[in-house]
């Protein structure tokens, strides 16, 4: 039976940072984005408010900024190799993140079968962000179920990789979870835990497990 590997982005595939922070760094607004990450991480604001405020922060954002942020971000090593191995085994890999879709979707070019993020307007922005398109922890579960249907697998064949509060609900509904450089919200819930900077090493914890 094929398996579906579900990857978070911020703090999981990106080491110690988030896509919004990396994007904001290109605009000289890293500190402001870090402060917003802290607010959502402590649940002082929710995903829609976070999206609205980060959208306002990026009024000067261009596609070139996004490309520079993606290419210069501190990614874990071994992402492409891990996803190539998953594909070679006839399994599936997808990224589901609260970060903007225009950043997350670039990971299909690295081998992800699918990549979902919060829907933002096209860059450069000429319209506001629609709150209905902003993802949440619960939305991750709904997207996982849709991907299961798409790929012909069940929740019983799913593995989730994550690091923080937004991954708790997904960790709660799949049988195997891998905490990567995780905070207290998910470390105690995970089937496996990994600290380091190589996705292949985390994947090795479940590579042959059934």
């Amino acid at each position: 039976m094929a398996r579906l590997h579900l990857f978070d982005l911020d703090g999981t595939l990106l080491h110690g940072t988030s896509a919004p922070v990396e994007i904001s760094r290109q605009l000289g607004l890293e500190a402001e984005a870090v402060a917003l990450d802290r607010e959502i991480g402590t649940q002082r604001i929710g995903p829609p408010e976070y999206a609205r405020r980060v959208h306002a922060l990026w009024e000067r954002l261009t596609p070139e900024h996004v490309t520079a942020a993606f290419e210069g971000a501190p990614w874990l090593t071994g992402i492409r190799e891990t996803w190539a191995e998953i594909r070679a085994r006839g399994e599936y890999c997808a990224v589901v993140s609260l970060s903007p879709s225009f950043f997350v979707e670039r990971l299909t070019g690295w081998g992800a079968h699918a990549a979902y993020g919060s829907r933002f307007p096209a860059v450069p922005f000429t319209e506001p962000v629609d709150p209905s398109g902003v993802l949440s922890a619960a939305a991750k579960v709904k997207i996982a179920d849709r991907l299961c249907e798409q790929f012909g697998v069940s929740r019983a064949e799913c593995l989730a990789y994550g690091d923080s509060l937004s991954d708790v609900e997904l960790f709660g509904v799949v049988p195997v979870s891998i905490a990567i450089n995780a905070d207290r919200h998910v470390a105690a819930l995970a089937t496996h835990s990994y600290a380091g900077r190589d996705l292949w090493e985390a994947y090795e914890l479940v590579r042959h497990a059934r």
Side-chain angles (χ1 to χ4, degrees), residues 6 43 136-142 144-145 155 160 164-175 177 185-186 189:
L6 298 158
Q43 297 182 284
S136 63
K140 284 191 172 188
V141 176
K142 293 179 181 178
D145 285 340
R155 283 186 181 179
S164 63
L165 190 62
S166 70
D167 304 302
V168 168
E169 292 195 37
L170 187 57
F171 273 34
V173 300
V174 300
S177 52
H185 294 106
V186 296
L189 299 176

Side-chain angles (χ1 to χ4, degrees), residues 72-157:
W75 299 98
L76 294 191
T77 59
I79 294 175
R80 298 183 198 193
E81 294 81 359
T82 299
W83 292 350
E85 160 75 3
I86 289 171
R87 280 177 168 270
R89 291 167 63 93
E91 299 180 353
Y92 304 97
C93 51
V95 182
V96 186
S97 170
L98 274 60
S99 277
S101 55
F102 61 73
F103 189 95
V104 181
E105 290 169 359
R106 289 171 176 248
L107 288 168
T108 58
W110 286 13
H113 287 91
Y116 288 87
S118 293
R119 290 198 306 272
F120 272 64
V123 177
F125 300 142
T126 58
E127 56 189 272
V129 64
D130 182 354
S132 68
V134 177
L135 300 189
S136 63
K140 284 191 172 188
V141 176
K142 293 179 181 178
I143 291 171
D145 285 340
R146 290 207 301 267
L147 289 169
C148 283
E149 183 176 357
Q150 177 182 341
F151 297 130
V153 302
S154 70
R155 283 186 181 179
E157 283 78 52

Side-chain angles (χ1 to χ4, degrees), residues 14-96:
L14 286 174
H15 182 73
T17 187
S18 69
V21 168
E22 295 307 303
I23 293 167
S24 299
R25 192 191 311 277
Q26 300 300 317
L27 300 169
L29 298 170
E30 177 185 358
E32 289 84 347
V34 169
L36 282 175
D37 275 7
R38 190 176 301 114
E39 287 194 63
I40 195 170
T42 55
Q43 297 182 284
R44 291 172 58 191
I45 59 174
E49 174 65 9
Y50 178 91
R52 184 189 68 78
R53 289 169 62 180
V54 81
H55 175 275
L57 203 62
W58 294 339
E59 62 179 351
R60 296 185 290 108
L61 189 64
T62 67
E64 291 74 23
H65 288 131
V66 178
T67 296
F70 187 88
E71 294 179 351
W75 299 98
L76 294 191
T77 59
I79 294 175
R80 298 183 198 193
E81 294 81 359
T82 299
W83 292 350
E85 160 75 3
I86 289 171
R87 280 177 168 270
R89 291 167 63 93
E91 299 180 353
Y92 304 97
C93 51
V95 182
V96 186

